Amino acid sequence: MRKYFSLMALTVCLPASLCEAQTPPAACDHTADIEGVCAAWFDSLPMNAIQAIGSHNSYHVRPTAPELKLIEHLRPGNSAGWDYGNKPLKTQLDLGLRQIELDLYYDPKGGRYADPLGPRLTANTRGFEPYDARQMTAPGFKVMHMQDIDVRSTCPTLKLCLGEIRTWSETHPDHAPLLIMFNTKQEEISYDGVVKPLAFDLSAFADLETEIASVFSRDHILTPDDVRRGEATLPLALKTYGWPTLRETRGKVFFLIDESETVTRTYMGRHKALEGQLLFVKSVSPEAAHAAVFVENDPLKSYEKIKGLVSSGFIVRTRADASLKEARANDPTRKLAALNSGAQYVTTDLYQPRTDLSDYVVTLPGGQKVRLNPRVPEATAAGAHLSPHLPKSVQQ
């Protein structure tokens, strides 16, 4: 039987002044920010009892006008959807985003992507901006959207990206668990002069774990074994124990390989329940031995599925928008479905509005950085304990 948290545990808090009369202060109701001054009141909740906003292609810098023309030539119909940019990772984290997505290219010798075609072909044309390739010469994983044609990044190497996240995390040790997602980029482009990406084989994944461990200490990372707790599979562990609590996971990061079964099978090898592995992988079914974190990108098509997965104790990431379509139409339908589905991490390109398109923006309804999840039983029970009036989304 799953071991649920105790509502009385919500009254055990620091500082002690918050515990007077075993009731939370007036500000600490169900609308409170889980990372704010009321954080201690939520520490006994499991980490899946939260909901937070994240960013899509978190490193991405808006391509220049001539680069967008090249993108449209090589990838017809894509340039409009790639015409976006993100703030530096630290700024995103300061704004309250708690999920980061990075696209990885394997470059063990260094320099493979140091002379990209796009900036070279568009040099000295109207709208051109110089490209700084200095970080691209060193060995290690590179971070960009697509080799040669969409290459600008706020942190062009994985070590730079992770280092920025680690520094922020160390100065904000009470943050909710950060989900860091990886896409392993291996797509080839049929065009003269475009570099062929290296495959993500066992050596690549071993190097990936090594590079992560060179930035984050083991106690900074939540791993599958931390969730499995000796059980044969992750789903069995979740049914028996649930996820670790917020008290146990504040200040930590956890990693997810968001890829096809072919890629995730390569990473898992014989470790079907991710025994001894550093990263989670995108789950394929609730019954799979590795099942813990799901990626369901379309909350309109997968609304009921997401609700079911969340209610069953899994963590889900979904997307509030894609390719700037919702921003251009100023249409909140998909965003509202994503938030109401209960997906713990809701990804967007528009955590700040693009005023040249519309006032479309994705934030939590109460303006929190992290809120109680509207679909997780423990979170709704906590909300009932803190306030007799739950959000409408919980009552649906």
Side-chain angles (χ1 to χ4, degrees):
M1 178 179 294
R2 183 172 176 179
K3 299 177 182 178
Y4 289 99
F5 80 105
S6 168
L7 283 176
M8 288 304 296
L10 288 171
T11 64
V12 178
C13 56
L14 291 173
S17 60
L18 292 183
C19 295
E20 285 187 40
Q22 295 289 299
T23 57
C28 295
D29 61 11
H30 65 272
T31 67
D33 195 322
I34 287 176
E35 287 187 353
V37 295
C38 302
W41 288 95
F42 304 104
D43 269 354
S44 294
L45 288 169
M47 60 178 278
N48 65 311
I50 68 170
Q51 187 174 63
I53 305 301
S55 58
H56 166 243
N57 292 346
S58 309
Y59 59 87
H60 193 252
V61 172
R62 193 174 181 182
T64 66
E67 287 167 359
L68 283 171
K69 291 181 180 179
L70 179 62
I71 289 168
E72 187 63 24
H73 175 67
L74 296 177
R75 284 286 188 273
N78 282 327
S79 63
W82 293 7
D83 186 20
Y84 65 93
N86 279 302
K87 301 289 186 182
L89 299 185
K90 176 187 180 299
T91 303
Q92 295 181 47
L93 295 168
D94 284 339
L95 289 169
L97 275 64
R98 296 296 178 261
Q99 171 261 305
I100 298 295
E101 182 182 53
L102 304 174
D103 289 338
L104 303 183
Y105 283 83
Y106 188 38
D107 187 16
K109 295 181 179 180
R112 189 174 185 85
Y113 305 101
D115 185 23
L117 188 66
R120 181 159 28 98
L121 290 180
T122 60
N124 301 317
T125 61
R126 180 175 294 183
F128 164 76
E129 293 179 15
Y131 175 74
D132 185 354
R134 287 175 296 176
Q135 300 290 345
M136 305 298 280
T137 59
F141 292 89
K142 304 305 186 291
V143 177
M144 57 187 159
H145 190 215
M146 183 164 284
Q147 76 276 20
D148 280 299
I149 65 172
D150 192 7
V151 298
R152 297 179 187 270
S153 174
T154 63
C155 47
T157 72
L158 177 59
K159 284 186 177 180
L160 285 173
C161 296
L162 295 184
E164 190 174 348
I165 296 169
R166 182 201 62 201
T167 298
W168 183 90
S169 178
E170 289 174 343
T171 57
H172 300 80
D174 295 327
H175 67 75
L178 298 178
L179 172 59
I180 302 175
M181 301 175 61
F182 295 141
N183 295 134
T184 60
K185 303 305 284 280
Q186 304 173 67
E187 181 184 355
E188 297 181 24
I189 301 175
S190 297
Y191 193 80
D192 288 343
V194 174
V195 174
K196 178 181 178 181
L198 297 179
F200 273 73
D201 54 15
L202 286 174
S203 295
F205 282 120
D207 287 349
L208 177 57
E209 289 202 347
T210 298
E211 199 157 305
I212 292 170
S214 74
V215 178
F216 285 102
S217 63
R218 172 62 182 83
D219 62 1
H220 208 149
I221 303 171
L222 179 78
T223 71
D225 281 345
D226 295 331
V227 177
R228 203 167 51 83
R229 308 188 206 200
E231 297 292 344
T233 69
L234 281 164
L236 180 58
L238 292 176
K239 289 179 181 178
T240 304
Y241 304 107
W243 287 88
T245 66
L246 286 172
R247 181 181 294 111
E248 295 169 316
T249 56
R250 286 191 188 275
K252 292 193 175 187
V253 300
F254 65 116
F255 297 95
L256 175 72
I257 300 173
D258 176 17
E259 277 298 346
S260 66
E261 287 187 61
T262 299
V263 175
T264 57
R265 280 198 300 265
T266 299
Y267 173 69
M268 289 190 294
R270 296 180 180 180
H271 308 285
K272 302 305 181 185
L274 295 171
E275 306 95 322
Q277 304 293 80
L278 198 63
L279 293 78
F280 292 85
V281 299
K282 181 172 72 173
S283 304
V284 296
S285 76
E287 293 77 29
H290 66 266
V293 185
F294 284 78
V295 177
E296 296 293 339
N297 284 327
D298 190 334
L300 294 173
K301 293 182 179 179
S302 302
Y303 184 74
E304 293 299 328
K305 182 178 182 180
I306 294 172
K307 284 172 55 181
L309 290 169
V310 170
S311 296
S312 296
F314 296 103
I315 284 177
V316 181
R317 178 265 201 168
T318 193
R319 292 183 63 178
D321 44 71
S323 303
L324 299 178
K325 293 177 182 177
E326 287 73 19
R328 288 193 167 93
N330 199 16
D331 182 0
T333 306
R334 179 170 173 166
K335 171 183 71 174
L336 295 175
L339 292 168
N340 287 330
S341 72
Q344 286 85 355
Y345 295 94
V346 177
T347 302
T348 181
D349 290 320
L350 284 305
Y351 48 88
Q352 292 184 321
R354 274 274 299 272
T355 54
D356 59 319
L357 300 179
S358 71
D359 60 0
Y360 175 90
V361 67
V362 178
T363 58
L364 292 177
Q368 312 97 321
K369 293 180 178 178
V370 185
R371 72 166 179 167
L372 287 172
N373 191 295
R375 297 292 177 188
V376 174
E378 294 94 328
T380 56
H385 175 69
L386 292 169
S387 170
H389 304 291
L390 289 176
K392 291 182 179 179
S393 59
V394 175
Q395 301 170 9
Q396 291 174 355

